[in-house]
Amino acid sequence: MKKFFNIFAALLALSVLSFGFIACSDDDDDDDGPSVSAAYVTEFTYPDGDTTYNCTYTLNFYDNKTYKGIMKVKEANYSYVDGKGTYRIVSGDWNTGIIAITRTHKANDDDKLVADPQDEAAFAVTNGSFTDPDTNLTFTKK
């Protein structure tokens, strides 16, 4: 009877420990930050001396009212955050409307973000596209 009790106690202790390990497992959803509400992309070439680079610029608008501009240089397999800030939809929606952005940081010559408070700029989106008046690049919604 004593042997049966010891086996029962050991099994009980083992089951309690297993529930403890399950309760402590890393089953939390990984939260890498806010979700992307909309993204707009443009592709262009950038001549630099004898080399021409193929670039992709993506504007990601997140559900927490922030955005990031991400530059990717294909030949160099290199990307960096070119600017970030906040946004608001003035009217309409992501396909046809007006989106206003306020850049709070921009990349310096070393591609590092530095503070850059600027005035708000607004883009008129038509059929999921808009043209940046400063660069004359057309961005299309992904």
Side-chain angles (χ1 to χ4, degrees):
M1 183 76 171
K2 187 174 181 184
K3 186 176 180 180
F4 176 76
F5 179 77
N6 287 340
I7 291 173
F8 179 76
L11 288 174
L12 182 63
L14 187 61
S15 65
V16 169
L17 284 175
S18 67
F19 282 114
F21 289 132
I22 290 170
C24 294
S25 72
D26 185 12
D27 62 349
D28 296 338
D29 294 335
D30 291 335
D31 188 12
D32 294 332
S35 299
V36 175
S37 295
Y40 294 85
V41 178
T42 190
E43 293 185 355
F44 62 96
T45 56
Y46 177 76
D48 186 19
D50 294 336
T51 306
T52 299
Y53 296 101
N54 293 298
C55 302
T56 302
Y57 195 91
T58 305
L59 281 170
N60 287 327
F61 293 90
Y62 300 99
D63 59 2
N64 66 354
K65 303 297 182 195
T66 63
Y67 81 92
K68 283 184 188 174
I70 302 168
M71 176 72 76
K72 184 173 188 175
V73 182
K74 293 177 184 173
E75 288 77 12
N77 196 24
Y78 176 70
S79 64
Y80 64 95
V81 176
D82 183 54
K84 69 178 187 174
T86 59
Y87 77 89
R88 63 189 175 91
I89 297 178
V90 177
S91 64
D93 59 24
W94 294 112
N95 291 313
T96 303
I98 297 175
I99 302 170
I101 64 171
T102 302
R103 186 170 69 190
T104 58
H105 293 80
K106 71 174 185 174
N108 63 13
D109 291 339
D110 296 325
D111 300 335
K112 305 292 183 202
L113 285 178
V114 294
D116 180 45
Q118 288 192 343
D119 292 332
E120 186 175 80
F123 302 103
V125 181
T126 306
N127 297 323
S129 296
F130 68 87
T131 301
D132 180 351
D134 293 333
T135 62
N136 207 29
L137 294 172
T138 300
F139 289 79
T140 304
K141 187 172 183 280
K142 281 179 119 168

